[in-house]
């Protein structure tokens, strides 16, 4: 079996997440989304997104990097404005999947906001 390697980053809300007012939280979230979009455009991120209905509410999202090393993925993930602001923490690991399977589409949903 041929496998492809990616770096999986789990984004978690720390128990001691830095508190901010609503306007600052909105700015941090917008910067977070823009940063991840820039990583996708640059080819460092294959895909990313939030998780819902998770049993562990601290888990906020997943990002699949294609950088070639967990060290580089960690460096990029820790530069995320939401991580730098203390709103998210990262867990980085290597993830393998059967070659070519990251291209299958999922169910399309529309999210407002």
């Amino acid at each position: 079996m041929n496998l492809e390697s990616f770096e999986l980053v789990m984004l978690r809300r720390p128990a001691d997440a830095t508190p901010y007012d609503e306007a600052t939280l909105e700015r941090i979230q917008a910067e977070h989304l823009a940063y991840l979009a820039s990583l996708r455009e640059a080819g460092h991120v294959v895909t990313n997104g939030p998780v819902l209905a998770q049993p562990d509410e601290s888990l906020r999202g997943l990002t699949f990097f294609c950088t070639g090393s967990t060290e580089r993925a960690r460096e990029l993930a820790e530069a995320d404005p939401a991580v730098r602001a203390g709103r998210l923490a990262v867990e980085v690991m290597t993830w393998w999947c059967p070659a070519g399977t990251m291209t299958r589409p999922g169910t399309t949903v529309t999210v407002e906001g």
Side-chain angles (χ1 to χ4, degrees):
M1 173 182 281
N2 292 325
L3 299 174
E4 291 178 325
S5 177
F6 297 90
E7 299 80 42
L8 170 59
V9 173
M10 299 172 66
L11 296 170
R12 293 195 178 273
R13 175 72 34 83
D16 61 347
T18 306
Y20 293 98
D21 61 72
E22 195 60 36
T24 302
L25 289 173
E26 287 178 20
R27 179 186 52 78
I28 292 169
Q29 180 66 8
E31 291 173 356
H32 163 72
L33 295 175
Y35 179 70
L36 289 172
S38 75
L39 292 179
R40 284 193 309 274
E41 290 171 16
H44 300 302
V45 166
V46 177
T47 192
N48 65 287
V51 295
L52 304 172
Q54 68 276 30
D56 179 352
E57 284 294 318
S58 74
L59 182 60
R60 307 308 296 161
L62 302 174
T63 303
F64 290 87
F65 282 82
C66 188
T67 64
S69 76
T70 54
E71 293 81 13
R72 179 65 176 144
R74 177 179 303 283
E75 179 183 298
L76 292 170
E78 289 179 347
D80 181 325
V83 175
R84 288 193 339 253
R87 297 298 296 169
L88 295 173
V90 300
E91 294 177 9
V92 182
M93 61 206 75
T94 300
W95 179 71
W96 290 350
C97 67
T101 60
M102 281 292 278
T103 61
R104 188 170 176 184
T107 303
T108 301
V109 298
T110 302
V111 179
E112 294 183 31

